[in-house]
Amino acid sequence: MSPQADRVLSLSPGTILGLGAEQAIATAAEVGFAALGLRLDVPAEPADGWSRLCQLLEDQGLRLLDVEVVRLRPDVPVAHHRPLAEAAGRLGATFLLVVSEHSEPARTVSDLRILAGWTAPYDVTVALEFMRFTSVPTFRAASRIVQDAGADNVGIVVDALHLHRGGERPADLVAPGAGPVAYLQLCDAPADPPGDPDDPSVLAEEARHHRWFPGTGDLPLTELLRTLPAGMPCSIEVQADGWAGAEDAVRRARQALTSAHAVLAAADQGELS
């Protein structure tokens, strides 16, 4: 068996924006993903205590890779995020995705520690995502914060687009001082953004509206896959305008899975994109 064949591929909620949780589960199962992520608003616990979603995941044989998204903001107390953190645990997620807009790294460190305390009893890892247009702009910055947090269940989610736009390479993920990578997010894009590469609004617009399917652009995806352990899960996140409606969900999810398999096969053959 090829090394990349063991990699768990997950359907990111960003790829099928507009679908509810039950529709997302059905779509992931129909297409053949082994896992998926769910994007939930800070939830009030439903009357069934999440049991329906848990049962649907079990019936479809799907792993819940991650729950999105905790957005740390200066004007929002961290306690606001506790229901989502606990929902991730009760739904059996492996990761809780977090982004930060705190201007002070120490505030991000403090909030990550608190989140990690809430999710530890459920064996959920808090995964910090870096982006050029947030207060954690690069993998190096995320590494410092996660190491300062000092919790065993805090790691970093590496999005191929954000890594490249931050001026970093796959080799940086295993360089001295690198923080622990929790899982990957794959998409593709042109080598340069469609506008000023130093304008955060340009980068945010691209990330939220103009991603490409893996293998159709210039990002070093096979190098990224070959750099990190083959057992590390990989979420396929292709947020792009015109593809997010429910009528396109299955077609879009199927294209995401097909393109990801092609990139994994290229990584096994030693090809570098």
Side-chain angles (χ1 to χ4, degrees):
M1 183 177 291
S2 63
Q4 298 294 339
D6 290 334
R7 195 180 294 279
V8 172
L9 295 180
S10 178
L11 176 60
S12 167
T15 302
I16 49 171
L17 283 178
L19 296 193
E22 293 186 18
Q23 291 175 300
I25 291 169
T27 298
E30 179 175 347
V31 169
F33 275 93
L36 82 158
L38 293 176
R39 183 171 295 185
L40 304 175
D41 292 328
V42 175
E45 184 174 330
D48 64 7
W50 302 110
S51 61
R52 175 168 174 77
L53 288 186
C54 289
Q55 189 62 55
L56 286 173
L57 289 164
E58 181 178 346
D59 290 347
Q60 298 292 355
L62 286 168
R63 171 180 171 183
L64 182 57
L65 183 71
D66 55 352
V67 163
E68 302 182 359
V69 53
V70 170
R71 299 186 186 277
L72 301 177
R73 295 188 173 108
D75 59 340
V76 178
V78 69
H80 175 78
H81 304 295
R82 184 163 190 166
L84 186 58
E86 293 188 344
R90 297 177 71 174
L91 288 168
T94 304
F95 303 106
L96 174 67
L97 190 148
V98 178
V99 298
S100 179
E101 297 175 9
H102 290 322
S103 58
E104 295 296 328
R107 178 80 181 275
T108 302
V109 169
S110 175
D111 283 1
L112 288 176
R113 287 175 180 158
I114 293 170
L115 289 167
W118 291 335
T119 62
Y122 301 102
D123 198 26
V124 175
T125 293
V126 175
L128 177 65
E129 184 170 9
F130 58 92
M131 312 176 197
R132 280 275 305 282
F133 47 89
T134 69
S135 62
V136 186
T138 63
F139 177 74
R140 292 181 184 89
S143 294
R144 290 191 293 270
I145 287 171
V146 168
Q147 288 163 353
D148 286 347
D152 291 339
N153 65 324
V154 176
I156 305 168
V157 55
V158 173
D159 183 309
L161 177 63
H162 299 318
L163 184 74
H164 189 74
R165 294 294 181 247
E168 296 172 310
R169 299 286 302 179
D172 294 317
L173 304 178
V174 292
V181 178
Y183 65 109
L184 306 175
Q185 291 179 332
L186 280 195
C187 70
D188 221 326
D192 299 311
D196 183 353
D198 295 318
D199 184 343
S201 66
V202 167
L203 300 180
E205 172 74 13
E206 178 187 36
R208 294 167 180 160
H209 300 282
H210 303 293
R211 292 170 181 254
W212 296 359
F213 286 106
T216 62
D218 302 314
L219 302 186
L221 301 185
T222 54
E223 181 184 353
L224 177 61
L225 289 166
R226 289 168 64 83
T227 297
L228 293 170
M232 183 172 289
C234 184
S235 176
I236 315 305
E237 184 179 45
V238 187
Q239 257 178 248
D241 290 351
W243 280 86
E247 69 278 3
D248 286 325
V250 170
R251 182 165 63 98
R252 184 169 180 76
R254 183 169 288 118
Q255 181 61 38
L257 185 61
T258 299
S259 62
H261 277 310
V263 172
L264 264 61
D268 271 334
Q269 295 165 11
E271 299 173 14
L272 296 181
S273 62

